[in-house]
Amino acid sequence: MDLCIINAQYQCFFNLHLMILECYYSQVPLPSVVGNLPSPPSRRQSCLPKQILSPPSSLLLLSSPRRHSDLPFDFRFSYTESSPSVRPIGLREPKYSPFGPDRLDRPWTGVCAPVVDPRVENVEEGREDPKLEEKRKRMRESVLGEELTNAERKVLVDRCQRGRTKRQINLGRDGLTHNMLNDIHNHWKHAEAVRIKCMGVPTVDMKNVCTQLEDKTFAKIIHRHGGLLVLYRGRNYHPRKRPTIPLMLWKPQDPVYPRLIKTTIDGLSIEETKEMRKKGLAVPPLTRLAKNGFYGSLVPMVRDAFLAIDLVRIDCQGLEKSDYKKIGFKLRDLVPCILVTFDKEQIVVWRGKDYKPIEGDLFFPIREPFDNPENDSDSGPEEQESSNDDSNRHGFHSGDESSS
Protein backbone atom coordinates (compact mmCIF):
# COMPACT_ATOMS: atom_id res chain seq x y z
CA MET A 1 0.00 0.00 0.00
CA ASP A 2 2.77 2.41 0.90
CA LEU A 3 4.60 1.47 -2.26
CA CYS A 4 1.58 2.36 -4.38
CA ILE A 5 1.28 5.75 -2.70
CA ILE A 6 4.96 6.43 -3.32
CA ASN A 7 4.64 5.45 -7.00
CA ALA A 8 1.63 7.72 -7.42
CA GLN A 9 3.44 10.65 -5.82
CA TYR A 10 6.49 10.04 -8.01
CA GLN A 11 4.28 9.89 -11.11
CA CYS A 12 2.62 13.22 -10.22
CA PHE A 13 5.98 14.86 -9.59
CA PHE A 14 7.32 13.56 -12.91
CA ASN A 15 4.29 14.85 -14.83
CA LEU A 16 4.57 18.25 -13.14
CA HIS A 17 8.24 18.47 -14.06
CA LEU A 18 7.51 17.61 -17.70
CA MET A 19 4.79 20.25 -17.82
CA ILE A 20 7.17 22.93 -16.46
CA LEU A 21 9.83 22.05 -19.03
CA GLU A 22 7.30 22.10 -21.84
CA CYS A 23 6.00 25.51 -20.78
CA TYR A 24 9.53 26.91 -20.47
CA TYR A 25 10.79 25.82 -23.85
CA SER A 26 7.57 26.32 -25.79
CA GLN A 27 6.96 29.76 -24.18
CA VAL A 28 3.49 28.66 -23.07
CA PRO A 29 2.41 30.02 -19.63
CA LEU A 30 1.52 27.69 -16.80
CA PRO A 31 -2.08 26.56 -16.58
CA SER A 32 -2.49 28.30 -13.23
CA VAL A 33 -1.76 31.72 -14.72
CA VAL A 34 -3.23 31.28 -18.18
CA GLY A 35 -6.49 32.88 -17.17
CA ASN A 36 -4.79 35.96 -15.68
CA LEU A 37 -2.63 36.82 -18.75
CA PRO A 38 -3.76 37.91 -22.19
CA SER A 39 -3.30 35.49 -25.01
CA PRO A 40 0.13 35.83 -26.66
CA PRO A 41 0.22 37.34 -30.14
CA SER A 42 0.65 35.04 -33.03
CA ARG A 43 3.98 34.66 -34.76
CA ARG A 44 2.80 36.43 -37.91
CA GLN A 45 1.54 39.47 -36.03
CA SER A 46 4.75 39.88 -33.99
CA CYS A 47 6.98 40.06 -37.10
CA LEU A 48 7.79 43.63 -38.13
CA PRO A 49 7.67 44.58 -41.82
CA LYS A 50 11.02 44.16 -43.57
CA GLN A 51 13.00 47.39 -43.67
CA ILE A 52 13.75 48.71 -47.15
CA LEU A 53 17.47 49.49 -47.38
CA SER A 54 18.43 52.72 -49.16
CA PRO A 55 21.39 52.72 -51.60
CA PRO A 56 24.69 54.25 -50.41
CA SER A 57 25.40 57.90 -50.96
CA SER A 58 27.85 57.15 -53.79
CA LEU A 59 25.03 55.58 -55.81
CA LEU A 60 22.68 58.46 -55.09
CA LEU A 61 25.11 60.76 -56.91
CA LEU A 62 24.61 58.72 -60.06
CA SER A 63 20.90 59.40 -60.08
CA SER A 64 21.35 63.16 -59.60
CA PRO A 65 21.24 65.33 -62.74
CA ARG A 66 24.45 66.47 -64.35
CA ARG A 67 25.75 69.86 -63.27
CA HIS A 68 26.07 72.65 -65.78
CA SER A 69 28.51 75.56 -65.62
CA ASP A 70 28.41 78.70 -67.74
CA LEU A 71 32.11 79.49 -67.26
CA PRO A 72 33.53 80.17 -70.76
CA PHE A 73 36.81 78.25 -70.50
CA ASP A 74 38.05 74.68 -70.47
CA PHE A 75 38.25 72.97 -67.08
CA ARG A 76 41.79 71.79 -66.32
CA PHE A 77 43.42 70.54 -63.16
CA SER A 78 46.03 73.34 -63.35
CA TYR A 79 45.65 76.46 -65.44
CA THR A 80 49.21 77.72 -64.98
CA GLU A 81 51.16 74.45 -65.28
CA SER A 82 49.44 73.18 -68.43
CA SER A 83 49.25 74.74 -71.85
CA PRO A 84 46.67 73.95 -74.55
CA SER A 85 49.33 74.53 -77.20
CA VAL A 86 51.42 71.54 -76.00
CA ARG A 87 49.81 68.32 -77.18
CA PRO A 88 50.49 65.11 -75.19
CA ILE A 89 51.55 61.93 -76.94
CA GLY A 90 49.67 59.55 -74.64
CA LEU A 91 47.61 59.06 -71.47
CA ARG A 92 48.58 57.23 -68.29
CA GLU A 93 45.03 56.19 -67.37
CA PRO A 94 41.61 55.76 -69.00
CA LYS A 95 39.52 58.85 -69.58
CA TYR A 96 37.80 58.83 -66.18
CA SER A 97 36.40 62.24 -65.39
CA PRO A 98 37.87 63.63 -62.12
CA PHE A 99 34.51 65.34 -61.50
CA GLY A 100 32.90 61.96 -60.92
CA PRO A 101 30.87 59.66 -63.16
CA ASP A 102 28.07 61.53 -64.96
CA ARG A 103 28.32 64.55 -62.67
CA LEU A 104 29.29 67.12 -65.32
CA ASP A 105 27.76 67.83 -68.71
CA ARG A 106 31.23 68.22 -70.29
CA PRO A 107 33.21 65.26 -71.63
CA TRP A 108 36.68 64.55 -70.23
CA THR A 109 39.35 64.21 -72.89
CA GLY A 110 42.08 62.98 -70.53
CA VAL A 111 43.59 66.48 -70.30
CA CYS A 112 40.67 68.87 -69.86
CA ALA A 113 36.89 69.22 -69.97
CA PRO A 114 36.39 71.53 -72.98
CA VAL A 115 33.58 74.05 -73.01
CA VAL A 116 33.09 73.25 -76.71
CA ASP A 117 32.17 69.63 -77.34
CA PRO A 118 34.96 68.26 -79.58
CA ARG A 119 32.46 65.89 -81.20
CA VAL A 120 30.28 68.77 -82.37
CA GLU A 121 32.68 71.60 -83.22
CA ASN A 122 36.27 71.51 -84.39
CA VAL A 123 38.66 74.09 -82.97
CA GLU A 124 42.24 74.29 -84.15
CA GLU A 125 44.74 72.69 -81.81
CA GLY A 126 46.29 75.25 -79.46
CA ARG A 127 43.87 78.01 -80.43
CA GLU A 128 40.85 79.17 -78.49
CA ASP A 129 37.50 80.15 -79.88
CA PRO A 130 37.48 83.98 -80.13
CA LYS A 131 33.84 84.03 -79.00
CA LEU A 132 34.83 82.58 -75.62
CA GLU A 133 37.53 85.21 -75.14
CA GLU A 134 35.02 87.99 -75.88
CA LYS A 135 32.51 86.45 -73.47
CA ARG A 136 35.08 86.32 -70.68
CA LYS A 137 36.01 89.93 -71.34
CA ARG A 138 32.38 91.04 -71.10
CA MET A 139 31.81 89.06 -67.91
CA ARG A 140 34.94 90.53 -66.32
CA GLU A 141 33.98 94.10 -67.22
CA SER A 142 30.46 93.64 -65.84
CA VAL A 143 31.79 92.26 -62.54
CA LEU A 144 34.60 94.78 -62.02
CA GLY A 145 32.49 97.85 -62.67
CA GLU A 146 34.03 101.26 -62.06
CA GLU A 147 37.77 101.40 -61.43
CA LEU A 148 39.05 101.79 -57.88
CA THR A 149 40.51 105.07 -56.74
CA ASN A 150 43.96 105.19 -55.17
CA ALA A 151 42.49 105.72 -51.71
CA GLU A 152 40.14 102.73 -52.04
CA ARG A 153 42.94 100.52 -53.30
CA LYS A 154 45.18 101.45 -50.36
CA VAL A 155 42.41 100.63 -47.88
CA LEU A 156 41.86 97.18 -49.42
CA VAL A 157 45.59 96.44 -49.53
CA ASP A 158 45.94 97.54 -45.92
CA ARG A 159 43.18 95.15 -44.84
CA CYS A 160 44.99 92.24 -46.49
CA GLN A 161 48.25 92.71 -44.61
CA ARG A 162 49.51 89.85 -42.48
CA GLY A 163 49.09 91.85 -39.32
CA ARG A 164 45.45 92.59 -40.10
CA THR A 165 44.13 89.23 -41.28
CA LYS A 166 45.20 85.60 -41.42
CA ARG A 167 43.08 84.77 -44.46
CA GLN A 168 45.39 83.63 -47.23
CA ILE A 169 45.44 81.23 -50.18
CA ASN A 170 48.70 79.42 -50.90
CA LEU A 171 49.57 78.75 -54.53
CA GLY A 172 52.15 75.95 -54.64
CA ARG A 173 53.78 73.57 -57.09
CA ASP A 174 50.52 72.70 -58.86
CA GLY A 175 49.88 76.36 -59.63
CA LEU A 176 46.35 77.70 -60.03
CA THR A 177 44.23 74.55 -59.73
CA HIS A 178 40.56 74.25 -60.61
CA ASN A 179 39.38 73.75 -57.02
CA MET A 180 41.32 76.85 -56.00
CA LEU A 181 38.78 78.95 -57.92
CA ASN A 182 36.11 77.78 -55.48
CA ASP A 183 38.36 78.67 -52.52
CA ILE A 184 38.82 82.20 -53.88
CA HIS A 185 35.06 82.72 -54.16
CA ASN A 186 34.61 81.38 -50.62
CA HIS A 187 37.07 84.01 -49.34
CA TRP A 188 35.17 86.72 -51.22
CA LYS A 189 32.11 86.01 -49.08
CA HIS A 190 33.84 87.69 -46.13
CA ALA A 191 36.07 90.31 -47.78
CA GLU A 192 36.33 92.24 -51.02
CA ALA A 193 39.95 91.21 -51.59
CA VAL A 194 41.96 88.09 -50.84
CA ARG A 195 45.69 87.64 -50.28
CA ILE A 196 47.42 84.98 -52.40
CA LYS A 197 50.95 83.76 -51.70
CA CYS A 198 52.74 82.15 -54.67
CA MET A 199 55.60 79.72 -54.03
CA GLY A 200 57.61 77.16 -55.95
CA VAL A 201 57.60 76.31 -59.65
CA PRO A 202 54.81 78.67 -60.85
CA THR A 203 56.77 81.74 -59.70
CA VAL A 204 59.24 81.29 -62.58
CA ASP A 205 56.58 82.84 -64.82
CA MET A 206 54.66 85.26 -62.60
CA LYS A 207 53.20 87.02 -65.62
CA ASN A 208 51.36 83.82 -66.54
CA VAL A 209 50.13 83.39 -62.94
CA CYS A 210 48.69 86.91 -62.83
CA THR A 211 47.12 86.54 -66.27
CA GLN A 212 45.43 83.25 -65.41
CA LEU A 213 44.17 84.54 -62.06
CA GLU A 214 42.50 87.56 -63.62
CA ASP A 215 41.19 85.57 -66.59
CA LYS A 216 39.64 82.66 -64.65
CA THR A 217 38.22 84.61 -61.68
CA PHE A 218 37.14 87.78 -63.61
CA ALA A 219 38.90 89.80 -60.89
CA LYS A 220 41.76 92.29 -60.79
CA ILE A 221 45.12 92.27 -59.04
CA ILE A 222 45.49 95.51 -57.10
CA HIS A 223 48.82 94.77 -55.40
CA ARG A 224 51.84 92.63 -56.22
CA HIS A 225 55.13 92.35 -54.41
CA GLY A 226 57.21 89.31 -55.29
CA GLY A 227 55.01 86.26 -54.82
CA LEU A 228 52.42 88.12 -52.75
CA LEU A 229 49.24 89.17 -54.58
CA VAL A 230 46.02 90.90 -53.57
CA LEU A 231 43.06 89.95 -55.77
CA TYR A 232 40.04 92.28 -55.82
CA ARG A 233 36.64 90.77 -56.63
CA GLY A 234 35.03 93.86 -58.27
CA ARG A 235 32.37 96.43 -57.41
CA ASN A 236 29.45 94.51 -58.93
CA TYR A 237 30.35 91.13 -57.45
CA HIS A 238 27.59 89.44 -55.41
CA PRO A 239 28.31 86.20 -53.49
CA ARG A 240 24.86 84.78 -54.23
CA LYS A 241 25.42 85.22 -57.97
CA ARG A 242 28.79 83.51 -58.01
CA PRO A 243 29.38 81.14 -60.95
CA THR A 244 28.85 77.41 -60.63
CA ILE A 245 32.22 75.69 -60.17
CA PRO A 246 32.02 71.86 -60.05
CA LEU A 247 34.76 70.40 -57.88
CA MET A 248 37.30 67.79 -58.91
CA LEU A 249 37.12 64.74 -56.65
CA TRP A 250 40.69 63.60 -57.32
CA LYS A 251 43.84 64.66 -59.14
CA PRO A 252 44.04 63.19 -62.64
CA GLN A 253 47.26 61.59 -63.82
CA ASP A 254 49.53 63.79 -65.91
CA PRO A 255 49.56 62.79 -69.58
CA VAL A 256 52.71 61.68 -71.38
CA TYR A 257 54.59 64.50 -73.11
CA PRO A 258 57.63 64.34 -75.43
CA ARG A 259 61.02 64.06 -73.77
CA LEU A 260 62.70 67.30 -72.80
CA ILE A 261 66.26 65.93 -73.02
CA LYS A 262 67.08 64.28 -76.33
CA THR A 263 69.87 61.80 -76.97
CA THR A 264 71.72 64.31 -79.08
CA ILE A 265 71.39 68.07 -79.13
CA ASP A 266 70.28 69.53 -82.43
CA GLY A 267 73.31 70.48 -84.51
CA LEU A 268 75.79 68.43 -82.43
CA SER A 269 77.10 64.90 -82.69
CA ILE A 270 76.87 62.27 -79.96
CA GLU A 271 80.47 62.85 -78.82
CA GLU A 272 79.98 66.62 -78.71
CA THR A 273 76.77 66.18 -76.71
CA LYS A 274 78.50 63.98 -74.13
CA GLU A 275 81.39 66.41 -73.84
CA MET A 276 79.00 69.34 -73.36
CA ARG A 277 77.13 67.52 -70.57
CA LYS A 278 80.37 66.81 -68.72
CA LYS A 279 81.46 70.40 -69.16
CA GLY A 280 78.08 71.72 -68.01
CA LEU A 281 78.17 69.72 -64.76
CA ALA A 282 81.65 71.13 -64.03
CA VAL A 283 80.61 74.77 -64.49
CA PRO A 284 80.17 76.74 -61.22
CA PRO A 285 76.46 77.02 -60.36
CA LEU A 286 74.73 80.28 -61.16
CA THR A 287 72.42 79.94 -58.16
CA ARG A 288 70.89 77.37 -55.86
CA LEU A 289 67.11 77.07 -55.71
CA ALA A 290 65.46 76.65 -52.32
CA LYS A 291 62.45 74.39 -51.92
CA ASN A 292 59.15 76.28 -52.25
CA GLY A 293 61.02 79.52 -52.83
CA PHE A 294 60.36 82.48 -55.10
CA TYR A 295 61.98 82.07 -58.53
CA GLY A 296 60.74 85.25 -60.20
CA SER A 297 64.26 86.55 -60.90
CA LEU A 298 65.58 83.28 -62.38
CA VAL A 299 64.85 84.08 -66.04
CA PRO A 300 66.62 87.50 -65.96
CA MET A 301 69.60 85.90 -64.21
CA VAL A 302 70.00 83.27 -66.94
CA ARG A 303 69.62 85.86 -69.69
CA ASP A 304 72.29 88.06 -68.13
CA ALA A 305 74.61 85.07 -67.67
CA PHE A 306 74.33 84.16 -71.36
CA LEU A 307 75.91 87.51 -72.23
CA ALA A 308 79.22 86.24 -70.81
CA ILE A 309 79.12 82.41 -70.89
CA ASP A 310 77.44 79.81 -73.06
CA LEU A 311 76.64 77.17 -70.40
CA VAL A 312 74.67 77.80 -67.20
CA ARG A 313 74.18 75.37 -64.32
CA ILE A 314 71.46 75.75 -61.69
CA ASP A 315 71.76 73.74 -58.48
CA CYS A 316 68.41 72.08 -57.56
CA GLN A 317 69.47 69.78 -54.71
CA GLY A 318 66.55 69.04 -52.41
CA LEU A 319 63.86 69.70 -55.03
CA GLU A 320 61.53 67.08 -56.44
CA LYS A 321 62.50 65.67 -59.80
CA SER A 322 59.23 66.79 -61.37
CA ASP A 323 59.77 70.32 -60.01
CA TYR A 324 63.13 71.04 -61.62
CA LYS A 325 61.97 69.42 -64.85
CA LYS A 326 59.09 71.89 -64.96
CA ILE A 327 61.52 74.73 -64.21
CA GLY A 328 63.73 73.60 -67.10
CA PHE A 329 60.72 73.49 -69.41
CA LYS A 330 59.79 77.06 -68.47
CA LEU A 331 63.37 78.28 -68.94
CA ARG A 332 63.50 76.71 -72.39
CA ASP A 333 60.53 78.79 -73.53
CA LEU A 334 61.14 82.02 -71.59
CA VAL A 335 64.90 82.59 -71.96
CA PRO A 336 64.98 80.86 -74.61
CA CYS A 337 67.69 78.20 -74.37
CA ILE A 338 68.49 74.54 -75.04
CA LEU A 339 68.26 71.97 -72.24
CA VAL A 340 71.40 69.87 -71.87
CA THR A 341 70.87 67.60 -68.84
CA PHE A 342 69.03 67.08 -65.54
CA ASP A 343 71.64 64.72 -64.03
CA LYS A 344 72.66 64.95 -60.35
CA GLU A 345 69.74 67.28 -59.53
CA GLN A 346 71.19 69.99 -61.77
CA ILE A 347 69.70 72.05 -64.61
CA VAL A 348 72.26 72.68 -67.36
CA VAL A 349 71.18 74.91 -70.24
CA TRP A 350 73.03 76.02 -73.37
CA ARG A 351 72.43 79.29 -75.17
CA GLY A 352 73.02 77.75 -78.62
CA LYS A 353 75.34 78.56 -81.50
CA ASP A 354 73.58 81.61 -82.92
CA TYR A 355 72.47 83.26 -79.67
CA LYS A 356 71.17 86.81 -79.86
CA PRO A 357 70.05 88.75 -76.77
CA ILE A 358 66.37 89.61 -76.76
CA GLU A 359 65.93 93.31 -77.44
CA GLY A 360 62.91 95.28 -76.38
CA ASP A 361 61.59 92.54 -74.09
CA LEU A 362 60.74 94.10 -70.74
CA PHE A 363 61.12 91.85 -67.70
CA PHE A 364 58.12 91.30 -65.52
CA PRO A 365 58.93 93.52 -62.50
CA ILE A 366 58.91 92.09 -58.99
CA ARG A 367 56.99 95.13 -57.72
CA GLU A 368 54.43 96.92 -59.81
CA PRO A 369 52.73 100.24 -58.91
CA PHE A 370 48.97 100.19 -59.34
CA ASP A 371 48.34 103.89 -58.64
CA ASN A 372 46.18 105.55 -61.25
CA PRO A 373 47.40 109.11 -62.01
CA GLU A 374 43.89 110.10 -63.11
CA ASN A 375 42.62 109.47 -59.57
CA ASP A 376 45.31 111.53 -57.83
CA SER A 377 42.81 114.35 -57.33
CA ASP A 378 40.95 112.20 -54.81
CA SER A 379 43.83 112.33 -52.34
CA GLY A 380 45.86 115.22 -50.96
CA PRO A 381 49.41 116.08 -52.03
CA GLU A 382 50.92 114.86 -48.77
CA GLU A 383 49.20 111.49 -49.09
CA GLN A 384 50.38 111.18 -52.71
CA GLU A 385 53.99 111.89 -51.77
CA SER A 386 53.97 109.43 -48.87
CA SER A 387 52.33 106.71 -50.95
CA ASN A 388 54.90 107.12 -53.73
CA ASP A 389 57.77 106.88 -51.25
CA ASP A 390 56.28 103.80 -49.63
CA SER A 391 55.68 102.07 -52.94
CA ASN A 392 59.25 102.73 -54.04
CA ARG A 393 60.77 101.46 -50.81
CA HIS A 394 58.56 98.61 -49.69
CA GLY A 395 55.82 98.02 -52.22
CA PHE A 396 53.37 97.29 -49.39
CA HIS A 397 51.46 99.97 -47.47
CA SER A 398 50.90 99.87 -43.73
CA GLY A 399 48.18 101.60 -41.80
CA ASP A 400 50.60 103.84 -39.86
CA GLU A 401 52.35 105.12 -42.99
CA SER A 402 49.13 105.83 -44.88
CA SER A 403 47.63 107.75 -41.96
CA SER A 404 50.74 109.88 -41.34
Side-chain angles (χ1 to χ4, degrees), residues 1 15 27 31 44 59 81 88 126 156 179 257 268 278 316 327 346 370 381-382:
M1 187 66 182
N15 293 337
Q27 296 183 358
R44 293 182 179 179
L59 296 180
E81 304 308 301
L156 291 175
N179 289 355
Y257 290 100
L268 299 180
K278 292 181 181 179
C316 301
I327 294 174
Q346 309 291 319
F370 290 88
E382 297 180 358

Side-chain angles (χ1 to χ4, degrees), residues 3-17:
L3 183 60
C4 293
I5 295 173
I6 293 173
N7 290 336
Q9 291 178 353
Y10 180 76
Q11 187 69 25
C12 293
F13 177 76
F14 182 74
N15 293 337
L16 180 62
H17 185 66

Side-chain angles (χ1 to χ4, degrees), residues 82-203:
S82 61
S83 175
S85 60
V86 181
R87 186 175 181 179
I89 60 177
L91 301 176
R92 303 181 188 272
E93 63 179 3
K95 297 178 182 180
Y96 295 136
S97 175
F99 298 96
D102 295 333
R103 295 191 63 194
L104 187 64
D105 59 350
R106 299 186 184 185
W108 180 257
T109 63
V111 180
C112 65
V115 62
V116 179
D117 194 344
R119 296 170 295 183
V120 178
E121 300 184 24
N122 292 327
V123 180
E124 295 185 13
E125 193 70 26
R127 294 187 179 182
E128 191 179 21
D129 189 358
K131 296 181 180 180
L132 298 178
E133 188 176 356
E134 294 178 2
K135 185 177 180 181
R136 288 202 304 270
K137 185 177 179 181
R138 291 195 304 267
M139 291 177 64
R140 185 167 181 262
E141 291 176 354
S142 62
V143 172
L144 289 179
E146 187 180 354
E147 188 177 359
L148 289 174
T149 62
N150 293 338
E152 291 173 336
R153 187 189 62 81
K154 293 173 186 176
V155 171
L156 291 175
V157 172
D158 182 65
R159 290 177 182 175
C160 293
Q161 290 190 37
R162 295 180 180 178
R164 300 290 297 274
T165 180
K166 295 183 179 180
R167 295 184 179 274
Q168 176 177 293
I169 293 179
N170 295 324
L171 191 146
R173 66 172 58 175
D174 292 330
L176 177 62
T177 60
H178 178 76
N179 289 355
M180 195 177 294
L181 301 179
N182 187 67
D183 296 338
I184 292 174
H185 284 279
N186 290 338
H187 278 266
W188 281 342
K189 291 180 181 179
H190 310 283
E192 298 181 56
V194 59
R195 186 175 70 236
I196 301 176
K197 185 177 181 181
C198 306
M199 302 173 292
V201 179
T203 59

Side-chain angles (χ1 to χ4, degrees), residues 27 29 33-42 45:
Q27 296 183 358
V33 296
V34 168
N36 300 332
L37 296 177
S39 59
S42 62
Q45 295 178 357

Side-chain angles (χ1 to χ4, degrees), residues 162-402:
R162 295 180 180 178
R164 300 290 297 274
T165 180
K166 295 183 179 180
R167 295 184 179 274
Q168 176 177 293
I169 293 179
N170 295 324
L171 191 146
R173 66 172 58 175
D174 292 330
L176 177 62
T177 60
H178 178 76
N179 289 355
M180 195 177 294
L181 301 179
N182 187 67
D183 296 338
I184 292 174
H185 284 279
N186 290 338
H187 278 266
W188 281 342
K189 291 180 181 179
H190 310 283
E192 298 181 56
V194 59
R195 186 175 70 236
I196 301 176
K197 185 177 181 181
C198 306
M199 302 173 292
V201 179
T203 59
V204 176
D205 190 4
M206 283 299 298
K207 184 177 181 179
N208 181 40
V209 173
C210 297
T211 302
Q212 294 296 333
L213 274 172
E214 293 184 342
D215 186 58
K216 299 301 184 292
T217 60
F218 311 118
K220 184 177 181 181
I221 297 175
I222 60 175
H223 175 79
R224 183 173 60 81
H225 182 199
L228 193 65
L229 309 174
V230 176
L231 191 64
Y232 173 59
R233 67 184 187 182
R235 290 186 185 272
N236 301 331
Y237 179 86
H238 198 283
R240 294 185 180 180
K241 297 181 181 179
R242 57 184 289 183
T244 302
I245 303 177
L247 298 179
M248 286 190 178
L249 304 183
W250 63 84
K251 178 182 178 180
Q253 289 285 339
D254 295 332
V256 181
Y257 290 100
R259 294 187 60 180
L260 295 176
I261 304 295
K262 299 181 180 180
T263 305
T264 58
I265 301 175
D266 295 340
L268 299 180
S269 62
I270 297 179
E271 297 298 330
E272 291 176 342
T273 302
K274 292 182 179 179
E275 186 66 25
M276 180 171 291
R277 287 172 180 165
K278 292 181 181 179
K279 181 181 177 182
L281 293 175
V283 171
L286 178 66
T287 183
R288 180 172 182 176
L289 301 182
K291 190 174 183 180
N292 294 330
F294 177 74
Y295 313 142
S297 58
L298 184 61
V299 173
M301 289 176 61
V302 176
R303 288 181 179 177
D304 294 342
F306 277 159
L307 298 176
I309 55 178
D310 57 347
L311 279 174
V312 171
R313 178 168 70 95
I314 302 172
D315 190 357
C316 301
Q317 291 185 2
L319 270 68
E320 298 288 339
K321 187 175 182 179
S322 60
D323 289 353
Y324 58 77
K325 282 189 174 183
K326 291 179 181 178
I327 294 174
F329 174 76
K330 292 177 182 291
L331 290 176
R332 186 191 68 176
D333 296 337
L334 296 175
V335 173
C337 57
I338 299 174
L339 295 175
V340 177
T341 183
F342 288 131
D343 293 343
K344 300 180 180 180
E345 297 183 351
Q346 309 291 319
I347 300 177
V348 179
V349 292
W350 180 45
R351 67 180 184 181
K353 292 183 178 180
D354 301 329
Y355 176 76
K356 295 181 180 180
I358 299 178
E359 297 180 359
D361 184 19
L362 297 178
F363 298 136
F364 195 63
I366 296 180
R367 287 195 302 264
E368 183 176 355
F370 290 88
D371 291 334
N372 188 0
E374 297 180 359
N375 295 329
D376 287 344
S377 58
D378 298 338
S379 58
E382 297 180 358
E383 186 177 357
Q384 294 175 19
E385 184 179 358
S386 62
S387 62
N388 292 334
D389 294 340
D390 294 339
S391 61
N392 293 332
R393 289 181 297 170
H394 306 289
F396 204 81
H397 302 280
S398 63
D400 298 337
E401 293 173 351
S402 60

